[in-house]
Amino acid sequence: ESDTASELSFQLGRHKKSPSTGSHSSDMASVSSVSGSVLSVYSGDFGSVDAQGTVEFALDYDEKNREFQVHVSQCRGLAVVDERKGRSDPYVKTYLLPDKARMGKRKTSVKKRTVNPVYNEVLRYKIEKMVLLIQKLNLSVWHNDPLGRNSFLGEIEIDLASWDWSNRKLNWYPLKPRSLSAVSGVDHRGVMSLSIKYVPPGSLGEWPRNPPSGEVHIWVKDVKDLLQLRPSGVDSFVKCYVLPDTSKKSYQKTRVIKRDTNPVFNHTIVYDGFHTEDLKDACVELTVWDHEKLTNHFLGGIRLGLGTGLSYGISVDWMDSTQEEVAFWQEMMLAANEWIEGLLPLRSL
């Protein structure tokens, strides 16, 4: 059985420049603009104000008192909720995720009639450091409505496992649209914009056979809304394998984009050695990593395949594509030689 799998000889390594024809570049713009609105769809009844502005805060862990402290300093340039009166009454709220009920929420006071509120308040959680390091901090800003229909003004999510605890200074962070995790408990790690294409053997028609074996083209465009790991953002890159092949010839990666939670990669990878029947047994795994000197930190990924749990008759745990990922792969299989566009949420793998 293992021999069958190893016959899948994806030789690779031909980097092509992105297919940046006019039509594709305009497609890219439209896809990019969608990803922000996809996230804000989940804002429920919190008012339809677009997130804008920044928040200044610092994080610290008091070892002596076993206390996590969020020093909320101020916000600038918040959205106006009541256009008629030109006012917002903002406050800041924090949760520890994924189990936001267990530790509860903390809130600052409400500041009236301002889009530049100053708080200088410390929100405290009694929690062991080891427990804290498997949490994410969700910090959000809200307009306080006396009738209870509070409006969401923006948020930031921070992965505490990779936070630099030597940094106790106040830093400014951009407020983002509402993510999925705070609303539904979904593990929100960002959204990847990409296109894929399958070129069957001989389909380009030139003698003797062009291409001699089939090719899968993967165009990694950008990622929106990555986890914030440090005040300066995140230094990210994308790795790609075609499973079951985890050898060096299957491995590809993009360049590192520094200090950006919305990196644009615009990188195309081509795998050849693909026969049409391999498409049901293979899986393209794309993972996003934060680049650090000693060890890279996993941020999220996607797996494109049929998600059957089987590869060449063998049960494998990586054949676990979500419904969205399966639909994307199937669409590529049905539309030879056509770029298929997708916008897929990153997940833990």
Side-chain angles (χ1 to χ4, degrees), residues 14-120:
R14 296 182 298 139
H15 291 264
K16 289 190 180 173
K17 284 195 176 169
S18 301
S20 51
T21 57
S23 62
H24 279 299
S25 52
S26 63
D27 290 347
M28 221 179 123
S30 63
V31 168
S32 306
S33 61
V34 168
S35 60
S37 60
V38 167
L39 300 178
S40 52
V41 165
Y42 292 87
S43 57
D45 293 326
F46 305 122
S48 56
V49 185
D50 285 335
Q52 65 179 61
T54 53
V55 57
E56 186 188 41
F57 64 91
L59 305 183
D60 194 13
Y61 187 77
D62 179 346
E63 302 277 359
K64 189 165 141 237
N65 294 311
R66 295 178 175 171
E67 188 177 73
F68 174 48
Q69 300 172 347
V70 185
H71 177 187
V72 182
S73 170
Q74 59 183 319
C75 300
R76 270 194 207 142
L78 297 176
V80 174
V81 174
D82 189 336
E83 290 284 356
R84 197 165 49 84
K85 295 181 182 166
R87 70 179 278 179
S88 293
D89 299 342
Y91 67 95
V92 174
K93 178 167 77 173
T94 58
Y95 281 114
L96 290 178
L97 302 173
D99 187 1
K100 64 183 187 181
R102 193 166 80 94
M103 294 303 294
K105 68 183 172 196
R106 306 285 186 273
K107 295 198 296 191
T108 66
S109 56
V110 175
K111 302 296 175 186
K112 300 270 178 131
R113 297 182 186 81
T114 177
V115 291
N116 302 302
V118 176
Y119 298 100
N120 283 326

Side-chain angles (χ1 to χ4, degrees), residues 223-294:
V223 180
K224 289 279 189 295
D225 207 24
L226 284 173
L227 289 170
Q228 182 100 20
L229 295 189
R230 57 186 84 84
S232 60
V234 61
D235 299 342
S236 63
F237 68 99
V238 178
K239 282 187 199 178
C240 184
Y241 281 101
V242 176
L243 306 174
D245 188 355
T246 55
S247 69
K248 276 192 176 166
K249 66 187 177 190
S250 170
Y251 174 61
Q252 285 293 299
K253 64 177 183 165
T254 68
R255 70 191 190 286
V256 176
I257 306 290
K258 295 203 164 177
R259 295 183 291 281
D260 197 344
T261 53
N262 299 298
V264 175
F265 296 103
N266 221 6
H267 182 100
T268 306
I269 300 163
V270 178
Y271 286 93
D272 57 15
F274 250 110
H275 297 285
T276 305
E277 59 271 20
D278 291 326
L279 295 176
K280 66 183 194 307
D281 291 295
C283 169
V284 170
E285 180 182 84
L286 293 159
T287 50
V288 186
W289 298 79
D290 173 47
H291 177 67
E292 293 191 52
K293 279 185 185 143
L294 297 176

